[in-house]
Amino acid sequence: MSTTATASLVASKTKAAKKETPAPAAAAKKKKSVGIAFGRAINTAGITLFTRQLAILVNAGMPIMRSLETLARQEKNARFKVVIESLAESIRGGGNFSDGLLQHPKLFDRLYINMIKAGEAGGVLGTVLDRLAKFMEKAEKIKGKVKSAMTYPVIILGVAVIIVTILMVVVIPQFESIFKSMLGKDTKMPALTQLVMDISYFIQHRWLISVGIVAGIVFGFRIFKSTKGGTRAIDWVLLKVPPFGSLILRASIGRFSRTFGTLLSSGVPILQAINITRDTSGNVHIADALNFVHDRVKEGDNVAKPLDAAKIFPSMVTSMIEVGEETGALPDMLTRIADIYDEEVDNAVGALTSIIEPIMISGMAAVVGTIVIALFLPIIEIIKKMGAK
């Protein structure tokens, strides 16, 4: 066989092998799709832990790509493992860490990505990751405290619903049959007793209508909330109506201050930081105030004056921001404001819980007591009838 023929044969075999062997990118895509299909959902707590671990590794001197590969190897969540591997692959292909984050907008919001961009531009990625981790840990801590504070009232409400349902579906029908057998079917029941029996009958035999009414209320509320006017109305109620209004306002001020301060301290330009803070505010009226602040700052004004003119934030907050601007320590002052209001939120949640618990217990006692009284009224009539005989 000639040398030319041998070379052509080897070349043909090599081409065939390439066709049979999938490219690394294709294999990665295939693996990624499997992870997304069968992995557990990625929650905020998981992203917070990832950010903290990445900050530790980068600050220890490990290159970002190697840090991501290390975290990917130890990640138990298949879906998140694929995401981390894609981030490492993006850097391996010549891109930045922020470029990889942009491919996952549902997991990493604008605040996260812009802070990473600022850290990369300033050569302080480890410092920014540490600040970002602290920011996310603080937010998770507050969220956890609110959830734990509301656990007991939710349990009480659930128990109350179960008890009332059992009374309405099981107990009251039995008493109704006893009353009719002893007093006669044509005997007129006391008004309260008749009302309770009618409600019991409706729940038993018209439960589809009950479910439809509840579903209609929920669906109607969602439609109303999806409209511009509905969103503004609901957000206004959340900020103004006691006792939840003051709590939500404090939480919003704390979130605004910590977000804005973290972005500024990470090197994000002030106008961009205002826009990102606006998008993460969670309330349309606070977003409007920050839009006004953005326009005024763009024209050369400071932050404190337009923020005070918006009449959303307390004067103490705007005064502290003004002092921070005058002294050139605005990020530190915003962090102090956030710490103050986070502590106030903790205290307010505890106080609100202590108020809600007795109110719910009293309400539960009132409902059950009303049902018991309604059942005793015919029993009194039965005793009178038996005494007359």
Side-chain angles (χ1 to χ4, degrees), residues 18 20-32 85 89 92:
K18 284 183 178 179
E20 291 174 3
T21 306
K29 285 181 182 178
K30 187 175 181 181
K31 185 178 180 183
K32 191 181 294 187
E85 287 174 347
E89 187 64 33
R92 194 179 294 112

Side-chain angles (χ1 to χ4, degrees), residues 114-338:
N114 281 281
M115 282 185 64
I116 295 298
K117 281 183 178 179
E120 289 174 332
V124 288
L125 182 59
T127 304
V128 169
L129 281 167
D130 186 62
R131 287 173 182 162
L132 191 54
K134 287 178 180 177
F135 171 82
M136 297 177 75
E137 285 165 355
K138 197 77 176 178
E140 283 294 305
K141 186 178 179 182
I142 293 172
K143 190 189 297 182
K145 284 185 177 181
V146 172
K147 284 183 179 179
S148 62
M150 295 304 295
T151 299
Y152 184 63
V154 168
I155 291 173
I156 293 176
L157 181 62
V159 170
V161 170
I162 292 171
I163 290 174
V164 171
T165 302
I166 292 172
L167 287 173
M168 288 292 182
V169 175
V170 178
V171 177
I172 291 177
Q174 293 181 357
F175 272 89
E176 185 177 4
S177 60
I178 293 171
F179 295 154
K180 287 181 178 179
S181 64
M182 299 191 71
L183 293 173
K185 292 183 179 181
D186 298 330
T187 303
K188 188 177 180 181
M189 295 289 177
L192 182 60
T193 306
Q194 190 62 50
L195 175 63
V196 171
M197 287 181 176
D198 291 341
I199 294 172
S200 173
Y201 180 85
F202 186 84
I203 292 173
Q204 290 178 79
H205 303 283
R206 300 287 188 272
W207 62 271
L208 280 175
I209 298 176
S210 304
V211 172
I213 291 171
V214 173
I217 292 172
V218 172
F219 186 67
F221 178 78
R222 287 186 176 181
I223 292 176
F224 177 69
K225 189 178 179 182
S226 65
T227 63
K228 188 175 180 180
T231 302
R232 298 189 71 85
I234 292 169
D235 285 352
W236 184 88
V237 169
L238 290 175
L239 287 178
K240 299 296 182 181
V241 175
F244 298 101
S246 60
L247 173 61
I248 292 172
L249 180 60
R250 290 173 192 171
S252 299
I253 293 171
R255 188 189 307 116
F256 154 77
S257 303
R258 194 166 299 282
T259 305
F260 194 30
T262 304
L263 288 167
L264 291 178
S265 62
S266 300
V268 177
I270 188 167
L271 291 175
Q272 190 177 359
I274 293 172
N275 283 335
I276 296 169
T277 306
R278 176 200 63 202
D279 294 341
T280 58
S281 63
N283 188 287
V284 67
H285 298 286
I286 294 176
D288 288 345
L290 292 178
N291 266 332
F292 178 63
V293 172
H294 176 274
D295 294 340
R296 293 287 295 274
V297 170
K298 192 175 181 180
E299 294 172 2
D301 208 343
N302 60 13
V303 175
K305 288 181 181 178
L307 199 63
D308 184 54
K311 303 298 181 184
I312 295 287
F313 294 88
S315 57
M316 186 194 82
V317 174
T318 55
S319 297
M320 290 180 70
I321 290 175
E322 188 174 13
V323 171
E325 288 180 308
E326 291 172 355
T327 57
L330 181 57
D332 294 335
M333 189 63 76
L334 287 166
T335 302
R336 289 184 186 180
I337 295 170

